[in-house]
Amino acid sequence: MQNILAQNCSNLLDLERHFVENLGITALRPEAKLLLILSEAGSLTIKQAISLSGLSYRGFYLLLNRLLAQGLIEINDDDDDRRVRKMSLSRRIL
């Protein structure tokens, strides 16, 4: 089951890339895109997530706050570097 979910996430992200590169439009809402990216990656630093989201700094933090309020993601300090914050899917949706 997990392999099927991972493959579907990958397919959706490939579709998103195709739409952006070839048509100049997005196929996924920013919320869905970020959740799919986190599903594939496991966890990302905030800086990595901002870069992959394609959103502005302000737009990303508005999205981040919505996902946190809905309990869909978690943010924790990095074990190796306390200056770095990492985000991941919450246990609620795993």
Side-chain angles (χ1 to χ4, degrees), residues 12-45:
L12 286 170
L13 289 170
D14 288 342
L15 178 67
E16 171 73 3
R17 279 187 283 279
H18 173 76
F19 270 67
V20 170
E21 290 170 5
N22 296 304
L23 303 173
I25 61 172
T26 59
L28 298 172
R29 291 181 49 99
E31 294 90 340
K33 181 179 177 182
L34 186 56
L35 293 174
L36 289 169
I37 290 169
L38 286 171
S39 177
E40 273 196 335
S43 69
L44 294 170
T45 65

Side-chain angles (χ1 to χ4, degrees), residues 15-86:
L15 178 67
E16 171 73 3
R17 279 187 283 279
H18 173 76
F19 270 67
V20 170
E21 290 170 5
N22 296 304
L23 303 173
I25 61 172
T26 59
L28 298 172
R29 291 181 49 99
E31 294 90 340
K33 181 179 177 182
L34 186 56
L35 293 174
L36 289 169
I37 290 169
L38 286 171
S39 177
E40 273 196 335
S43 69
L44 294 170
T45 65
I46 299 294
K47 188 174 184 177
Q48 291 170 323
I50 290 171
S51 176
L52 292 171
S53 74
L55 297 171
S56 68
Y57 185 83
R58 183 176 181 340
F60 177 81
Y61 273 96
L62 290 171
L63 171 66
L64 180 68
N65 288 331
R66 279 196 309 270
L67 294 175
L68 282 168
Q70 293 173 333
L72 299 175
I73 61 171
E74 298 174 349
I75 296 180
N76 297 297
D77 291 332
D78 185 68
D79 294 333
D80 299 323
D81 187 344
R82 302 302 276 176
R83 297 170 297 174
V84 176
R85 294 175 39 192
K86 295 189 103 174

